[in-house]
Amino acid sequence: MKVIICGAGRVGYGIAERLSEEGNDVSVIDNQPSLIAAITETLDVSGIVGHGAHPEVLAKAGADQADMLIAVTLFDEINMVACQVAHSLFNVPTKIARIRSQNYLAPEYSDLFSRENLPIDVTISPEVEVGKMVLRRISFPGATDVVRFADDRIVMVAIECMEDCPVVETPLKQLSELFPDLNATVTGIYSNGKLSVPSSSDQLHSGDLAYVVCDKGHVRRTLALFGHEEQEAARIVIAGGGNIGYFVAKAIEDYQPKTRLKIIESDRERAVAIADKLRNTVVLHGSALDQKMLMQADIQDADLIVSLTNNDQINILGSVMARRLGCKQNLVLINDPAYEDFTKTLGIDAHINPRAVTISGILQHVRKGRIRSVYAVQKGAAEVIEAEALETSPLVGKPLRDIELPPGIRIGAVYRDQTVIRPDGNTKIKAKDRVVLFAAAGAVRHVEQLFRVSIQYF
């Protein structure tokens, strides 16, 4: 597939890295020569220095032969115009744009991104997606990652196995025997720096991170089974009142009105603006690195601090300071993946990488086959995928025990007629079932083949 990426920043680099590794023909456009030099030196991609919305630059990148254009520059308007030019002059079939300003995404302007107006097939809003991720983490304390699939009926949770976890040192096949009414399946294990897709004979060990796919109604019981019975936060402090912080606070006010919420925002004008918009949230003007400000926010009594500023150092240090002052837990936004490897040693309970969230949102539109949703884990080492089974799929009609799945794939749940089914050897997948599975990076192409729209697979 020929893909053009406008923007060589962190998101653009991450997408180019993933797509080039999978053998796609990738061209990257950016007006900063240093970024193009860096991406072409480290990845197998073509680089073009120039403005991503200019026709001559897109032509140089091969837009007349492109299957997809992904515009992820820092400027919404450039992304939108790049899609328009790609459509009008080069007839690029699929156009994806990152749109950060919520003004463009307001419901009353829903017709803006249509073929007749601005022909953008998919809009990605990092702030909204990250905000939703934060809310999911808050809803399920104890999980280090939470993603929903199948109309929010299936949830993938990443759970650290504690020392007192009752399921450690037990073969996975025995878990279904010990807990027959628990609709949950361990699909991936991250242990000692390595991610694996387990077999039924594998075991979990203390300190492992388990990726569990389960029925939404069974998440809390699953967390408890892994030794996590943390209570949902009743007192929350948000560091950073930008787009993400405001989105999270507004959602908490709307859906969890009993939660006591405070925001610390360093920009006075912004603090005043969000204070006018929020009904029950206390907004404080100051720095999250100021101990007196944290104490003014009653951090010693808080259940959770969520650090959502644009500065990784402030997010990390402020959260560590909050923990030492008595806050029970912290959740940190981290943009630079270099910081992720030592967050735990610093006392960070959980973190979110907005780049990973954005890339996952784009990947579902890159994947071939009837793929409905994709979420990348452990820096792309594996993906959790929701796909729809077709009549032509080799998965349909036979018991799973009689199907030899390619290595690196484990089915976590099947969604049929608004019911979540925990798969076992007797399960038969039917056409139109939605299957949620865990796939190692090297097995993703096999997943695409299993759920291809065409009968060409045979």
Side-chain angles (χ1 to χ4, degrees), residues 194-209:
K194 293 182 65 177
L195 185 67
S196 64
V197 179
S199 67
S200 58
S201 60
D202 287 333
Q203 301 179 11
L204 290 164
H205 305 286
S206 177
D208 286 356
L209 187 67

Side-chain angles (χ1 to χ4, degrees), residues 163-196:
E163 290 184 4
D164 57 350
C165 176
V167 299
V168 297
E169 316 301 337
T170 303
L172 296 182
K173 61 184 176 183
Q174 290 186 15
L175 297 183
S176 58
E177 300 169 4
L178 294 170
F179 309 98
D181 60 338
L182 182 65
N183 197 340
T185 302
V186 178
T187 56
I189 300 174
Y190 185 71
S191 179
N192 297 319
K194 293 182 65 177
L195 185 67
S196 64

Side-chain angles (χ1 to χ4, degrees), residues 146-304:
V146 181
V147 190
R148 295 183 179 182
F149 300 93
D151 302 330
D152 287 349
R153 291 293 303 277
I154 295 174
V155 180
M156 187 285 293
V157 284
I159 317 171
E160 183 180 356
C161 298
M162 310 304 288
E163 290 184 4
D164 57 350
C165 176
V167 299
V168 297
E169 316 301 337
T170 303
L172 296 182
K173 61 184 176 183
Q174 290 186 15
L175 297 183
S176 58
E177 300 169 4
L178 294 170
F179 309 98
D181 60 338
L182 182 65
N183 197 340
T185 302
V186 178
T187 56
I189 300 174
Y190 185 71
S191 179
N192 297 319
K194 293 182 65 177
L195 185 67
S196 64
V197 179
S199 67
S200 58
S201 60
D202 287 333
Q203 301 179 11
L204 290 164
H205 305 286
S206 177
D208 286 356
L209 187 67
Y211 289 91
V212 186
V213 174
C214 56
D215 186 307
K216 178 184 176 182
H218 293 220
V219 174
R220 295 195 186 281
R221 186 182 168 200
T222 301
L223 287 167
L225 191 64
F226 278 78
H228 292 275
E229 298 189 76
E230 295 91 336
Q231 297 298 310
E232 195 167 338
R235 295 181 177 87
I236 300 175
V237 175
I238 297 176
N243 289 337
I244 301 174
Y246 172 74
F247 178 90
V248 171
K250 185 69 169 60
I252 292 175
E253 282 194 344
D254 291 341
Y255 301 108
Q256 298 172 240
K258 294 183 180 179
T259 302
R260 297 178 63 181
L261 191 61
K262 295 181 180 179
I263 294 179
I264 300 174
E265 168 55 42
S266 60
D267 183 271
R268 182 175 181 81
E269 186 176 340
R270 177 65 180 175
V272 171
I274 62 175
D276 289 339
K277 295 178 181 178
L278 295 168
R279 302 184 304 274
N280 303 316
T281 301
V282 176
V283 181
L284 302 172
H285 170 230
S287 170
L289 294 180
D290 184 343
Q291 184 169 323
K292 291 182 179 178
M293 178 56 59
L294 289 171
M295 296 300 291
Q296 188 178 341
D298 296 322
I299 200 67
Q300 68 278 5
D301 298 321
D303 299 310
L304 174 69

Side-chain angles (χ1 to χ4, degrees), residues 67-71 82-84 86-87 91-97 115 119-123:
D67 300 293
M68 178 179 293
L69 179 132
I70 304 172
C83 289
Q84 178 71 68
H87 172 79
N91 199 29
V92 177
T94 303
K95 299 158 291 292
I96 299 174
R115 196 170 186 85
I120 300 174
D121 301 291
V122 181
T123 58

Side-chain angles (χ1 to χ4, degrees), residues 401-414:
R401 65 163 51 89
D402 296 337
I403 298 173
E404 189 174 345
L405 285 174
I409 297 174
R410 186 170 172 87
I411 295 176
V414 178

